[in-house]
Every structure is written in structure tokens, then in C-alpha cells.
């Protein structure tokens, strides 16, 4: 079974969105787990609580260094505001979070 984790940077609203994405993924038979065990990571970020694109890019570099084979999807308003900085990753905009299952399935199909 394919496992996932969601790392959220943002307001309580964004944490609620992450919980809804987790629910949708579990309904689609994906298993939540921690970052170390997850097959893929959804990094959900918005600058409302001070996270910047530079901080997000630094976090991505850390994750890629520690887990070079982990699949990553970026979601939220920050990557939507600056998509050119995150073009290497599948992006799910802030108003498209309900399409997370499709984004994950497409990413898995293209590996």
C-alpha cells in the first residue's frame, strides 16, 4: 500500500485543508505515516504565517538530501504565487486541494 505524509506551513485554515487532503487520500486507500516511512510527501504551504519561497526551497533541499527517492507534491498558495520556483514539482493550487488524489495518482503513474 502506498503511504504519504503531509507537512503544512501556514495558518489553521491550511492545517484544516491538509486534514481534508489526508481524508481524501485515505478514502482512496493511501496510508498516512511519518516522513521517514512515507512513499510521498505533500508539502502544503502558504506565506500567511511567514514561510517564504526561499524557506520552502531550503526545506525541499533538506528533504531531497535526506530522502532522495521520495516523491514530492507541492500544494497551497505559495507555490501557486511563484510557480516558476517550484516547476520541478507537481503543483496543486490552494483552490485545487480537492484534486489531491488525482495529482498523487498522476505522479505515481509517471515514476
Amino acid at each position: 500500500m502506498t503511504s504519504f505524509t503531509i507537512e503544512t506551513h501556514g495558518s489553521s485554515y491550511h492545517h484544516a485543508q491538509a486534514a481534508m487532503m489526508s481524508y481524501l487520500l485515505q478514502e482512496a486507500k493511501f496510508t498516512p505515516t511519518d516522513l521517514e516511512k512515507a512513499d510521498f510527501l505533500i508539502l502544503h504551504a502558504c506565506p500567511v504565517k511567514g514561510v517564504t519561497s526561499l524557506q520552502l526551497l531550503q526545506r525541499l533541499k533538506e528533504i531531497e538530501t535526506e530522502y532522495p527517492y521520495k516523491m514530492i507534491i507541492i500544494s497551497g498558495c505559495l507555490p501557486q504565487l511563484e510557480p516558476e520556483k517550484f516547476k520541478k514539482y507537481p503543483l496543486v493550487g490552494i483552490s485545487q486541494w480537492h484534486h489531491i488524489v488525482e495529482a498523487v495518482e498522476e505522479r505515481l503513474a509517471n515514476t
Side-chain angles (χ1 to χ4, degrees), residues 1-7 30-42 59 63 66-71 108:
M1 189 149 288
T2 305
S3 60
F4 72 94
T5 193
I6 301 175
E7 183 174 309
F30 294 101
T31 305
T33 191
D34 59 35
L35 178 58
E36 186 174 307
K37 297 174 189 166
D39 296 308
F40 67 91
L41 163 69
I42 298 167
R59 178 64 181 139
I63 293 166
E66 191 167 349
Y67 308 102
Y69 299 105
K70 191 141 331 254
M71 294 177 279
L108 290 170

Side-chain angles (χ1 to χ4, degrees), residues 9-10 44-57 59 78:
H9 302 269
H44 189 59
C46 188
V48 172
K49 289 289 185 178
V51 68
T52 65
S53 59
L54 179 59
Q55 290 169 320
L56 186 57
L57 289 167
R59 178 64 181 139
L78 185 59

Side-chain angles (χ1 to χ4, degrees), residues 39-99:
D39 296 308
F40 67 91
L41 163 69
I42 298 167
L43 194 54
H44 189 59
C46 188
V48 172
K49 289 289 185 178
V51 68
T52 65
S53 59
L54 179 59
Q55 290 169 320
L56 186 57
L57 289 167
Q58 288 172 336
R59 178 64 181 139
L60 286 166
K61 187 175 181 177
E62 291 170 8
I63 293 166
E64 290 174 334
T65 299
E66 191 167 349
Y67 308 102
Y69 299 105
K70 191 141 331 254
M71 294 177 279
I72 300 171
I73 294 175
I74 310 294
S75 67
C77 51
L78 185 59
Q80 186 172 326
L81 293 171
E82 301 181 82
E84 68 284 350
K85 291 185 179 179
F86 304 98
K87 62 185 174 189
K88 164 180 173 179
Y89 307 96
L91 302 178
V92 177
I94 192 71
S95 60
Q96 287 83 36
W97 64 266
H98 56 284
H99 293 292

